[in-house]
DNA sequence: GTAGATGCAAAGTATTTGCGACAAG
DNA sequence: CTTGTCGCAAATACTTTGCATCTAC
């Protein structure tokens, strides 16, 4: 495991409060991609006094600090995950909603090439695959 | 040019009303990717009596009928474009918001391969590149 | 001590919906 | 005719914000 979220906050000069610590810990433990509501539920079990406004403010702050990644998958609410070294994309099961993380260097390179072709420097991208499980 | 939106409606058994005809024509003429508000503005210039609720209902209906594609680019409202034969993805200029459409067969194939690898049949995907124009 | 964080409730956006009037097939 | 559509305004869902209070550094 690389740095904890708390360490990242220190490194980036993000002030640590009790609320932020709780939110950070819950996100670290979450291997799925919770939306704000779900995150708020989990956080509330640890400290019921934390308000949903703080959860919204904190995920936004963490996202801007490069600590969390925000995803807006099809037709739903925004969902978050901890951002670690290895970049990855998502394969979403359209039946169950299950999410599989994957990495494909070849696709990454091709994306860069496409951007170059049009005279752009690639600064970000979003790749989501939607599939049905084969029997 | 392939079929018009009106022809597609007939083909798919979607009832044609004056309002839908206007919305269809405006979308056909739009080479950008307007959001509902912008579409409503354009539509209102032709027939000011059309309500925004109808615009919302119509784009949703057209999307479900495979006539329009809905995009949810980063942090904004949903945007729409006419869906024609050739599938394409989008390269978005993060400075200006300009959108370039592109096709890359190689990436398409690799996506299918990734899904296969995890035992999935690819039914849909979303690929968005965000870039900065090089000088 | 001070700048910034929190909780609360109210305000914003974007989108959907119930309902009576109306129009397409 | 009958089923589905429209316009309107109210409702919903998600997210942000003003303000007074509190807390980390």
């Amino acid at each position: 495991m690389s740095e904890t979220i708390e360490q990242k906050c220190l490194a980036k000069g993000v002030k640590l409060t009790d609320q932020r610590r709780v939110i950070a810990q819950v996100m670290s433990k979450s291997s799925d991609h919770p939306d704000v509501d779900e995150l708020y539920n989990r956080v509330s079990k640890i400290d019921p006094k934390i308000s949903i406004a703080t959860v919204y403010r904190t995920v936004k702050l963490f996202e801007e600090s490069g600590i969390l990644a925000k995803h807006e998958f099809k037709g739903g609410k925004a969902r978050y995950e901890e951002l670690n070294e290895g970049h990855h994309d998502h394969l979403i099961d359209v039946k169950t909603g299950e999410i599989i993380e994957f990495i494909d260097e070849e696709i990454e390179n091709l994306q860069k090439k496409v951007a170059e072709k049009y005279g752009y420097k690639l600064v970000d991208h979003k790749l989501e695959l939607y599939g049905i499980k084969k029997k």
Side-chain angles (χ1 to χ4, degrees), chain A:
Chain A
M1 165 105 49
S2 50
E3 291 177 292
T4 65
I5 292 183
E6 296 192 25
Q7 289 171 325
K8 286 180 199 161
C9 286
L10 287 174
K12 305 195 190 228
V14 169
K15 195 188 273 188
L16 269 172
T17 62
D18 290 348
Q19 293 86 334
R20 289 180 185 173
R21 249 185 282 266
V22 172
I23 293 168
Q25 283 162 17
V26 170
M27 279 307 299
S28 282
K29 271 189 305 209
S30 301
S31 57
D32 51 351
H33 303 65
D35 58 42
V36 172
D37 235 44
E38 177 57 27
L39 178 55
Y40 174 61
N41 285 339
R42 295 180 194 176
V43 156
S44 294
K45 283 187 193 139
I46 299 175
D47 180 351
K49 285 189 300 301
I50 294 177
S51 79
I52 190 136
T54 297
V55 177
Y56 270 107
R57 281 191 274 236
T58 303
V59 292
K60 190 179 214 181
L61 172 71
F62 282 180
E63 191 208 348
E64 286 162 356
S65 308
I67 294 170
L68 294 181
K70 178 183 190 176
H71 300 296
E72 290 169 289
F73 299 133
K74 289 214 165 173
K77 350 188 179 177
R79 299 171 62 165
Y80 291 84
E81 73 175 315
E82 191 176 355
L83 202 54
N84 281 315
E85 301 319 314
H87 161 80
H88 61 254
D89 291 305
H90 300 91
L91 166 58
I92 297 120
D93 185 320
V94 295
K95 290 268 165 64
T96 69
E98 194 196 345
I99 297 176
I100 294 164
E101 301 180 348
F102 70 88
I103 300 170
D104 191 298
E105 286 304 331
E106 216 177 328
I107 292 181
E108 302 286 316
N109 289 332
L110 284 170
Q111 289 177 6
K112 243 176 257 162
K113 266 201 337 215
V114 169
E116 298 278 334
K117 185 170 134 192
Y118 290 97
Y120 281 81
K121 176 163 171 293
L122 191 64
V123 294
D124 194 8
H125 76 212
K126 179 195 275 189
L127 172 60
E128 290 156 22
L129 306 182
Y130 296 86
I132 299 174
K133 201 167 227 154
K134 289 184 178 174
K135 307 278 158 49

